[in-house]
Amino acid sequence: MAVVTQVTGRETLVPENVFIYSRTDAKGHITEANQAFADLSGYAVEEMIGKPHNLVRHPDMPKDAFADMWKSL
């Protein structure tokens, strides 16, 4: 499932000493996420569960970069 997102031009910085966490199943659907991840993504944890992880991917991020990551994992 491709998610169409508009680029806002805003940069989101991860605060120091904040641990962001998400976990997916073998098909890349989010099964867990912590509140810090949710806060940075702009979604509630409950909204993300069961959705493809590309829900939070920047639209300019090349698909091949993630394909390589998933292949490596």
Side-chain angles (χ1 to χ4, degrees), residues 19-34:
F19 177 72
I20 60 171
Y21 168 82
S22 65
R23 182 177 183 161
T24 67
D25 62 18
K27 294 189 182 241
H29 293 92
I30 298 170
T31 58
E32 296 177 44
N34 70 354

Side-chain angles (χ1 to χ4, degrees), residues 12 20 30 33-45 47-48 55-57:
T12 302
I20 60 171
I30 298 170
N34 70 354
Q35 190 59 51
F37 184 86
D39 292 343
L40 289 168
S41 75
Y43 294 96
V45 172
E47 285 181 277
M48 293 187 288
L55 176 75
V56 297
R57 184 180 73 215

Side-chain angles (χ1 to χ4, degrees), residues 4-26:
V4 179
T5 307
Q6 288 185 314
V7 177
T8 63
R10 290 178 292 182
E11 183 177 10
T12 302
L13 300 175
V14 178
E16 285 190 47
N17 302 317
V18 170
F19 177 72
I20 60 171
Y21 168 82
S22 65
R23 182 177 183 161
T24 67
D25 62 18

